[in-house]
Amino acid sequence: MPQIAQLAATYSSQIFWMLIFFGFTFFVVGRGMVPKVMDTVAQRDKQIADDLAAAERARAQADAEEEAWRTRENANRAEAQALIAEARAKAAAVTTERLATAQVAIDATLAEAETRISQARRSAAAEIEDVAADAAREIVSRIAGLTLDDGAVRSAVKENLVHG
Amino acid sequence: MHQFSIQPLFGSEGWSIAGYNIAFTNSTLWMAIAAVTLAFFVAGGMKRQLVPGRWQMAVESFTGFIDGMLAANVGPGGKKYVPYIFSLFMFILFANFLGLLPLGVIGLHAFTFTSHFSATGVLAVLSFAIVLIVGFAKHKLHFFSLFVPHGTPVIMIPLIFCVELISFLVRPFSLGLRLFVAMMAGHVLLEVLSSFVISSGNAGIGLFAIAGLPSFILMVGICALELLVAGIQAYVFALLTCVYLNDAENLH
């Protein structure tokens, strides 16, 4: 086994060169390069974390803006609804008023017409009375030869007309 | 066993500092290759793009893996050990994988320096030393309470203290030996099986069909297993260091 057989002759060389080359590895690679590599990794991790945080912030801002927009939109909609309701109410009021005016006019016309009708009826009834009284007196004078008082005939006719 | 033998390269066997030989060996060469390859790999992932390419993604997944392991085992205080654990894990991983490269087919010989306890021992002692330094710097002498688990009856404290102290002191050995043994065992197994293939092939076609061919098929499977072991052993070394660091960092 050369490890043991050659130990006495080679141990100092092995230890010396091991220290030299491991020392080289440690100081040049371990101390010189590895921290830079780790630094790069740390920077990348930090950048990723920062980007994520920025994205999160942007999302929160977008949410807030959307919320504000929604509030504004709701207010606008409510305002529009109020305007519509007001216009509708106003239109309804105007319509009602116009209807009332028309109704009044119609009522007046109706009342006048009714008055006229009843007047006509009354004058017609009086004319019928006159005609009936004349006819009755004529009939009485021709058949019975009596000359009756005009007032008596008229009252008899009126009584008959009323009681029919 | 030739694959484990250490040979000086470039006529450097005479190099020494204060009487200690520091020859530039094949083991040293593969340490250098592992370190340079690792540096090249990590440097390729330093484009620092916001959207990473494949290479950058690969390097970042390794650092993220080590970071996650420390976060899970040590907690927030583990962040400062990422450079060390990363170097440890990747250096061992690259060494294990590079040692498995089938360079024999082009006449070169890969050398797995993690199959030498003189190399893994250095890493284990380093980890253990860091645990000791961190532990005593952070908790002073209170660090010794690590050896007395909560709820130990007073009468048991001396015994438990000794047991825990021994298990603590064994850590660097288990850490270094585990890696060395796993890597060496895998390579020896492959070597034994390949020697079956070669010698049965030389002995005759009948024996090759009975012993050589099954051995070769088994080798293919074991090569895949060795790739897995190479990753797992690097992971285990790094993970255990994390667990020990957790003791030092947070006591318990």
PDB file of all heavy atoms in Angstrom, chain B residues 190 192-222:
ATOM      1  N   LEU B 190     -12.004  -1.713  -8.868  1.00  0.00           N
ATOM      2  CA  LEU B 190     -11.937  -1.633 -10.330  1.00  0.00           C
ATOM      3  C   LEU B 190     -10.662  -2.306 -10.839  1.00  0.00           C
ATOM      4  O   LEU B 190     -10.673  -2.985 -11.866  1.00  0.00           O
ATOM      5  CB  LEU B 190     -11.988  -0.171 -10.782  1.00  0.00           C
ATOM      6  CG  LEU B 190     -13.356   0.503 -10.651  1.00  0.00           C
ATOM      7  CD1 LEU B 190     -13.258   1.964 -11.051  1.00  0.00           C
ATOM      8  CD2 LEU B 190     -14.372  -0.208 -11.528  1.00  0.00           C
ATOM      9  N   VAL B 192      -8.937  -4.730  -9.388  1.00  0.00           N
ATOM     10  CA  VAL B 192      -9.030  -6.180  -9.243  1.00  0.00           C
ATOM     11  C   VAL B 192      -9.868  -6.768 -10.368  1.00  0.00           C
ATOM     12  O   VAL B 192      -9.483  -7.749 -11.030  1.00  0.00           O
ATOM     13  CB  VAL B 192      -9.629  -6.534  -7.863  1.00  0.00           C
ATOM     14  CG1 VAL B 192     -10.008  -8.005  -7.807  1.00  0.00           C
ATOM     15  CG2 VAL B 192      -8.651  -6.194  -6.761  1.00  0.00           C
ATOM     16  N   LEU B 193     -11.029  -6.136 -10.611  1.00  0.00           N
ATOM     17  CA  LEU B 193     -11.906  -6.657 -11.660  1.00  0.00           C
ATOM     18  C   LEU B 193     -11.232  -6.564 -13.031  1.00  0.00           C
ATOM     19  O   LEU B 193     -11.326  -7.487 -13.842  1.00  0.00           O
ATOM     20  CB  LEU B 193     -13.218  -5.867 -11.665  1.00  0.00           C
ATOM     21  CG  LEU B 193     -14.165  -6.194 -10.506  1.00  0.00           C
ATOM     22  CD1 LEU B 193     -15.332  -5.240 -10.492  1.00  0.00           C
ATOM     23  CD2 LEU B 193     -14.649  -7.625 -10.619  1.00  0.00           C
ATOM     24  N   SER B 194     -10.526  -5.476 -13.289  1.00  0.00           N
ATOM     25  CA  SER B 194      -9.876  -5.343 -14.596  1.00  0.00           C
ATOM     26  C   SER B 194      -8.749  -6.364 -14.732  1.00  0.00           C
ATOM     27  O   SER B 194      -8.516  -6.874 -15.824  1.00  0.00           O
ATOM     28  CB  SER B 194      -9.363  -3.920 -14.794  1.00  0.00           C
ATOM     29  OG  SER B 194      -8.467  -3.587 -13.771  1.00  0.00           O
ATOM     30  N   SER B 195      -8.099  -6.699 -13.612  1.00  0.00           N
ATOM     31  CA  SER B 195      -7.049  -7.722 -13.707  1.00  0.00           C
ATOM     32  C   SER B 195      -7.670  -9.083 -14.012  1.00  0.00           C
ATOM     33  O   SER B 195      -7.085  -9.887 -14.728  1.00  0.00           O
ATOM     34  CB  SER B 195      -6.240  -7.771 -12.414  1.00  0.00           C
ATOM     35  OG  SER B 195      -6.958  -8.428 -11.405  1.00  0.00           O
ATOM     36  N   PHE B 196      -8.901  -9.316 -13.495  1.00  0.00           N
ATOM     37  CA  PHE B 196      -9.624 -10.541 -13.866  1.00  0.00           C
ATOM     38  C   PHE B 196      -9.840 -10.575 -15.368  1.00  0.00           C
ATOM     39  O   PHE B 196      -9.615 -11.596 -16.009  1.00  0.00           O
ATOM     40  CB  PHE B 196     -11.007 -10.592 -13.184  1.00  0.00           C
ATOM     41  CG  PHE B 196     -10.962 -10.982 -11.739  1.00  0.00           C
ATOM     42  CD1 PHE B 196     -12.108 -10.924 -10.956  1.00  0.00           C
ATOM     43  CD2 PHE B 196      -9.776 -11.421 -11.153  1.00  0.00           C
ATOM     44  CE1 PHE B 196     -12.080 -11.277  -9.629  1.00  0.00           C
ATOM     45  CE2 PHE B 196      -9.747 -11.778  -9.818  1.00  0.00           C
ATOM     46  CZ  PHE B 196     -10.907 -11.702  -9.057  1.00  0.00           C
ATOM     47  N   VAL B 197     -10.306  -9.455 -15.909  1.00  0.00           N
ATOM     48  CA  VAL B 197     -10.614  -9.401 -17.340  1.00  0.00           C
ATOM     49  C   VAL B 197      -9.358  -9.701 -18.146  1.00  0.00           C
ATOM     50  O   VAL B 197      -9.360 -10.552 -19.041  1.00  0.00           O
ATOM     51  CB  VAL B 197     -11.190  -8.019 -17.718  1.00  0.00           C
ATOM     52  CG1 VAL B 197     -11.414  -7.937 -19.225  1.00  0.00           C
ATOM     53  CG2 VAL B 197     -12.482  -7.754 -16.971  1.00  0.00           C
ATOM     54  N   ILE B 198      -8.252  -9.032 -17.788  1.00  0.00           N
ATOM     55  CA  ILE B 198      -7.012  -9.175 -18.562  1.00  0.00           C
ATOM     56  C   ILE B 198      -6.463 -10.598 -18.448  1.00  0.00           C
ATOM     57  O   ILE B 198      -6.176 -11.263 -19.451  1.00  0.00           O
ATOM     58  CB  ILE B 198      -5.943  -8.176 -18.072  1.00  0.00           C
ATOM     59  CG1 ILE B 198      -6.501  -6.765 -18.085  1.00  0.00           C
ATOM     60  CG2 ILE B 198      -4.657  -8.315 -18.882  1.00  0.00           C
ATOM     61  CD1 ILE B 198      -6.332  -5.992 -19.315  1.00  0.00           C
ATOM     62  N   SER B 199      -6.348 -11.097 -17.199  1.00  0.00           N
ATOM     63  CA  SER B 199      -5.680 -12.396 -17.038  1.00  0.00           C
ATOM     64  C   SER B 199      -6.562 -13.531 -17.554  1.00  0.00           C
ATOM     65  O   SER B 199      -6.034 -14.502 -18.112  1.00  0.00           O
ATOM     66  CB  SER B 199      -5.262 -12.632 -15.584  1.00  0.00           C
ATOM     67  OG  SER B 199      -6.338 -12.372 -14.729  1.00  0.00           O
ATOM     68  N   SER B 200      -7.886 -13.419 -17.405  1.00  0.00           N
ATOM     69  CA  SER B 200      -8.736 -14.477 -17.961  1.00  0.00           C
ATOM     70  C   SER B 200      -8.706 -14.434 -19.483  1.00  0.00           C
ATOM     71  O   SER B 200      -8.768 -15.462 -20.153  1.00  0.00           O
ATOM     72  CB  SER B 200     -10.173 -14.346 -17.444  1.00  0.00           C
ATOM     73  OG  SER B 200     -10.783 -13.213 -18.003  1.00  0.00           O
ATOM     74  N   GLY B 201      -8.611 -13.231 -20.019  1.00  0.00           N
ATOM     75  CA  GLY B 201      -8.502 -13.100 -21.478  1.00  0.00           C
ATOM     76  C   GLY B 201      -7.217 -13.724 -21.983  1.00  0.00           C
ATOM     77  O   GLY B 201      -7.199 -14.378 -23.030  1.00  0.00           O
ATOM     78  N   ASN B 202      -6.142 -13.558 -21.229  1.00  0.00           N
ATOM     79  CA  ASN B 202      -4.869 -14.152 -21.624  1.00  0.00           C
ATOM     80  C   ASN B 202      -4.907 -15.670 -21.494  1.00  0.00           C
ATOM     81  O   ASN B 202      -4.257 -16.378 -22.244  1.00  0.00           O
ATOM     82  CB  ASN B 202      -3.725 -13.600 -20.754  1.00  0.00           C
ATOM     83  CG  ASN B 202      -3.391 -12.170 -21.142  1.00  0.00           C
ATOM     84  OD1 ASN B 202      -3.709 -11.745 -22.249  1.00  0.00           O
ATOM     85  ND2 ASN B 202      -2.764 -11.445 -20.244  1.00  0.00           N
ATOM     86  N   ALA B 203      -5.708 -16.182 -20.512  1.00  0.00           N
ATOM     87  CA  ALA B 203      -5.721 -17.617 -20.244  1.00  0.00           C
ATOM     88  C   ALA B 203      -6.467 -18.391 -21.318  1.00  0.00           C
ATOM     89  O   ALA B 203      -6.163 -19.556 -21.534  1.00  0.00           O
ATOM     90  CB  ALA B 203      -6.354 -17.887 -18.876  1.00  0.00           C
ATOM     91  N   GLY B 204      -7.433 -17.805 -21.968  1.00  0.00           N
ATOM     92  CA  GLY B 204      -8.168 -18.532 -23.002  1.00  0.00           C
ATOM     93  C   GLY B 204      -9.584 -18.023 -23.142  1.00  0.00           C
ATOM     94  O   GLY B 204     -10.122 -17.403 -22.222  1.00  0.00           O
ATOM     95  N   ILE B 205     -10.177 -18.320 -24.287  1.00  0.00           N
ATOM     96  CA  ILE B 205     -11.500 -17.768 -24.600  1.00  0.00           C
ATOM     97  C   ILE B 205     -12.569 -18.313 -23.668  1.00  0.00           C
ATOM     98  O   ILE B 205     -13.505 -17.606 -23.292  1.00  0.00           O
ATOM     99  CB  ILE B 205     -11.852 -18.062 -26.080  1.00  0.00           C
ATOM    100  CG1 ILE B 205     -13.128 -17.311 -26.519  1.00  0.00           C
ATOM    101  CG2 ILE B 205     -12.001 -19.570 -26.325  1.00  0.00           C
ATOM    102  CD1 ILE B 205     -12.860 -15.870 -26.776  1.00  0.00           C
ATOM    103  N   GLY B 206     -12.428 -19.576 -23.238  1.00  0.00           N
ATOM    104  CA  GLY B 206     -13.420 -20.186 -22.345  1.00  0.00           C
ATOM    105  C   GLY B 206     -13.455 -19.484 -21.010  1.00  0.00           C
ATOM    106  O   GLY B 206     -14.512 -19.087 -20.520  1.00  0.00           O
ATOM    107  N   LEU B 207     -12.288 -19.298 -20.437  1.00  0.00           N
ATOM    108  CA  LEU B 207     -12.204 -18.655 -19.126  1.00  0.00           C
ATOM    109  C   LEU B 207     -12.642 -17.198 -19.220  1.00  0.00           C
ATOM    110  O   LEU B 207     -13.289 -16.668 -18.306  1.00  0.00           O
ATOM    111  CB  LEU B 207     -10.762 -18.733 -18.620  1.00  0.00           C
ATOM    112  CG  LEU B 207     -10.581 -18.656 -17.101  1.00  0.00           C
ATOM    113  CD1 LEU B 207     -11.387 -19.743 -16.419  1.00  0.00           C
ATOM    114  CD2 LEU B 207      -9.105 -18.766 -16.743  1.00  0.00           C
ATOM    115  N   PHE B 208     -12.335 -16.575 -20.359  1.00  0.00           N
ATOM    116  CA  PHE B 208     -12.758 -15.182 -20.558  1.00  0.00           C
ATOM    117  C   PHE B 208     -14.279 -15.083 -20.552  1.00  0.00           C
ATOM    118  O   PHE B 208     -14.847 -14.190 -19.933  1.00  0.00           O
ATOM    119  CB  PHE B 208     -12.207 -14.654 -21.885  1.00  0.00           C
ATOM    120  CG  PHE B 208     -12.587 -13.236 -22.156  1.00  0.00           C
ATOM    121  CD1 PHE B 208     -11.970 -12.194 -21.465  1.00  0.00           C
ATOM    122  CD2 PHE B 208     -13.576 -12.932 -23.080  1.00  0.00           C
ATOM    123  CE1 PHE B 208     -12.331 -10.892 -21.704  1.00  0.00           C
ATOM    124  CE2 PHE B 208     -13.945 -11.619 -23.315  1.00  0.00           C
ATOM    125  CZ  PHE B 208     -13.314 -10.602 -22.625  1.00  0.00           C
ATOM    126  N   ALA B 209     -14.943 -16.063 -21.194  1.00  0.00           N
ATOM    127  CA  ALA B 209     -16.404 -16.041 -21.227  1.00  0.00           C
ATOM    128  C   ALA B 209     -16.974 -16.262 -19.836  1.00  0.00           C
ATOM    129  O   ALA B 209     -17.990 -15.652 -19.466  1.00  0.00           O
ATOM    130  CB  ALA B 209     -16.918 -17.116 -22.190  1.00  0.00           C
ATOM    131  N   ILE B 210     -16.333 -17.115 -19.042  1.00  0.00           N
ATOM    132  CA  ILE B 210     -16.874 -17.430 -17.707  1.00  0.00           C
ATOM    133  C   ILE B 210     -16.565 -16.309 -16.716  1.00  0.00           C
ATOM    134  O   ILE B 210     -17.448 -15.844 -15.995  1.00  0.00           O
ATOM    135  CB  ILE B 210     -16.285 -18.761 -17.182  1.00  0.00           C
ATOM    136  CG1 ILE B 210     -16.750 -19.912 -18.076  1.00  0.00           C
ATOM    137  CG2 ILE B 210     -16.711 -19.017 -15.746  1.00  0.00           C
ATOM    138  CD1 ILE B 210     -15.980 -21.192 -17.830  1.00  0.00           C
ATOM    139  N   ALA B 211     -15.299 -15.862 -16.675  1.00  0.00           N
ATOM    140  CA  ALA B 211     -14.886 -14.918 -15.634  1.00  0.00           C
ATOM    141  C   ALA B 211     -14.682 -13.504 -16.171  1.00  0.00           C
ATOM    142  O   ALA B 211     -15.085 -12.529 -15.534  1.00  0.00           O
ATOM    143  CB  ALA B 211     -13.592 -15.408 -14.983  1.00  0.00           C
ATOM    144  N   GLY B 212     -14.083 -13.393 -17.317  1.00  0.00           N
ATOM    145  CA  GLY B 212     -13.696 -12.073 -17.827  1.00  0.00           C
ATOM    146  C   GLY B 212     -14.881 -11.211 -18.192  1.00  0.00           C
ATOM    147  O   GLY B 212     -14.976 -10.049 -17.772  1.00  0.00           O
ATOM    148  N   LEU B 213     -15.818 -11.796 -18.953  1.00  0.00           N
ATOM    149  CA  LEU B 213     -16.951 -11.009 -19.444  1.00  0.00           C
ATOM    150  C   LEU B 213     -17.855 -10.518 -18.318  1.00  0.00           C
ATOM    151  O   LEU B 213     -18.168  -9.321 -18.247  1.00  0.00           O
ATOM    152  CB  LEU B 213     -17.736 -11.844 -20.465  1.00  0.00           C
ATOM    153  CG  LEU B 213     -18.438 -11.046 -21.559  1.00  0.00           C
ATOM    154  CD1 LEU B 213     -17.432 -10.193 -22.323  1.00  0.00           C
ATOM    155  CD2 LEU B 213     -19.154 -12.005 -22.525  1.00  0.00           C
ATOM    156  N   PRO B 214     -18.238 -11.454 -17.369  1.00  0.00           N
ATOM    157  CA  PRO B 214     -19.041 -10.952 -16.233  1.00  0.00           C
ATOM    158  C   PRO B 214     -18.306  -9.871 -15.447  1.00  0.00           C
ATOM    159  O   PRO B 214     -18.905  -8.881 -15.013  1.00  0.00           O
ATOM    160  CB  PRO B 214     -19.269 -12.202 -15.383  1.00  0.00           C
ATOM    161  CG  PRO B 214     -19.120 -13.332 -16.316  1.00  0.00           C
ATOM    162  CD  PRO B 214     -18.092 -12.905 -17.314  1.00  0.00           C
ATOM    163  N   SER B 215     -16.999 -10.032 -15.276  1.00  0.00           N
ATOM    164  CA  SER B 215     -16.225  -9.022 -14.541  1.00  0.00           C
ATOM    165  C   SER B 215     -16.280  -7.687 -15.258  1.00  0.00           C
ATOM    166  O   SER B 215     -16.421  -6.631 -14.636  1.00  0.00           O
ATOM    167  CB  SER B 215     -14.771  -9.451 -14.412  1.00  0.00           C
ATOM    168  OG  SER B 215     -14.679 -10.642 -13.682  1.00  0.00           O
ATOM    169  N   PHE B 216     -16.191  -7.760 -16.591  1.00  0.00           N
ATOM    170  CA  PHE B 216     -16.223  -6.514 -17.368  1.00  0.00           C
ATOM    171  C   PHE B 216     -17.566  -5.818 -17.230  1.00  0.00           C
ATOM    172  O   PHE B 216     -17.632  -4.603 -17.011  1.00  0.00           O
ATOM    173  CB  PHE B 216     -15.941  -6.832 -18.840  1.00  0.00           C
ATOM    174  CG  PHE B 216     -15.848  -5.608 -19.686  1.00  0.00           C
ATOM    175  CD1 PHE B 216     -14.738  -4.771 -19.608  1.00  0.00           C
ATOM    176  CD2 PHE B 216     -16.876  -5.260 -20.541  1.00  0.00           C
ATOM    177  CE1 PHE B 216     -14.664  -3.630 -20.376  1.00  0.00           C
ATOM    178  CE2 PHE B 216     -16.814  -4.113 -21.303  1.00  0.00           C
ATOM    179  CZ  PHE B 216     -15.701  -3.292 -21.221  1.00  0.00           C
ATOM    180  N   ILE B 217     -18.651  -6.614 -17.293  1.00  0.00           N
ATOM    181  CA  ILE B 217     -19.995  -6.026 -17.143  1.00  0.00           C
ATOM    182  C   ILE B 217     -20.139  -5.425 -15.752  1.00  0.00           C
ATOM    183  O   ILE B 217     -20.673  -4.320 -15.582  1.00  0.00           O
ATOM    184  CB  ILE B 217     -21.076  -7.102 -17.411  1.00  0.00           C
ATOM    185  CG1 ILE B 217     -21.023  -7.512 -18.887  1.00  0.00           C
ATOM    186  CG2 ILE B 217     -22.457  -6.587 -17.056  1.00  0.00           C
ATOM    187  CD1 ILE B 217     -21.776  -8.785 -19.192  1.00  0.00           C
ATOM    188  N   LEU B 218     -19.622  -6.167 -14.757  1.00  0.00           N
ATOM    189  CA  LEU B 218     -19.669  -5.660 -13.380  1.00  0.00           C
ATOM    190  C   LEU B 218     -18.886  -4.356 -13.261  1.00  0.00           C
ATOM    191  O   LEU B 218     -19.305  -3.420 -12.570  1.00  0.00           O
ATOM    192  CB  LEU B 218     -19.080  -6.727 -12.444  1.00  0.00           C
ATOM    193  CG  LEU B 218     -19.262  -6.499 -10.949  1.00  0.00           C
ATOM    194  CD1 LEU B 218     -20.738  -6.429 -10.619  1.00  0.00           C
ATOM    195  CD2 LEU B 218     -18.610  -7.623 -10.170  1.00  0.00           C
ATOM    196  N   MET B 219     -17.756  -4.272 -13.959  1.00  0.00           N
ATOM    197  CA  MET B 219     -16.940  -3.048 -13.916  1.00  0.00           C
ATOM    198  C   MET B 219     -17.708  -1.837 -14.412  1.00  0.00           C
ATOM    199  O   MET B 219     -17.579  -0.736 -13.861  1.00  0.00           O
ATOM    200  CB  MET B 219     -15.694  -3.221 -14.799  1.00  0.00           C
ATOM    201  CG  MET B 219     -14.522  -3.818 -14.085  1.00  0.00           C
ATOM    202  SD  MET B 219     -13.120  -3.829 -15.175  1.00  0.00           S
ATOM    203  CE  MET B 219     -12.609  -2.137 -15.078  1.00  0.00           C
ATOM    204  N   VAL B 220     -18.495  -2.059 -15.474  1.00  0.00           N
ATOM    205  CA  VAL B 220     -19.278  -0.947 -16.024  1.00  0.00           C
ATOM    206  C   VAL B 220     -20.218  -0.404 -14.950  1.00  0.00           C
ATOM    207  O   VAL B 220     -20.291   0.807 -14.706  1.00  0.00           O
ATOM    208  CB  VAL B 220     -20.073  -1.404 -17.278  1.00  0.00           C
ATOM    209  CG1 VAL B 220     -20.983  -0.296 -17.758  1.00  0.00           C
ATOM    210  CG2 VAL B 220     -19.122  -1.827 -18.363  1.00  0.00           C
ATOM    211  N   GLY B 221     -20.903  -1.363 -14.263  1.00  0.00           N
ATOM    212  CA  GLY B 221     -21.820  -0.944 -13.195  1.00  0.00           C
ATOM    213  C   GLY B 221     -21.070  -0.267 -12.066  1.00  0.00           C
ATOM    214  O   GLY B 221     -21.515   0.759 -11.532  1.00  0.00           O
ATOM    215  N   ILE B 222     -19.906  -0.820 -11.698  1.00  0.00           N
ATOM    216  CA  ILE B 222     -19.166  -0.274 -10.555  1.00  0.00           C
ATOM    217  C   ILE B 222     -18.577   1.095 -10.899  1.00  0.00           C
ATOM    218  O   ILE B 222     -18.452   1.964 -10.026  1.00  0.00           O
ATOM    219  CB  ILE B 222     -18.099  -1.285 -10.094  1.00  0.00           C
ATOM    220  CG1 ILE B 222     -18.821  -2.446  -9.390  1.00  0.00           C
ATOM    221  CG2 ILE B 222     -17.113  -0.657  -9.128  1.00  0.00           C
ATOM    222  CD1 ILE B 222     -17.942  -3.549  -8.942  1.00  0.00           C
TER     223      ILE B 222
END
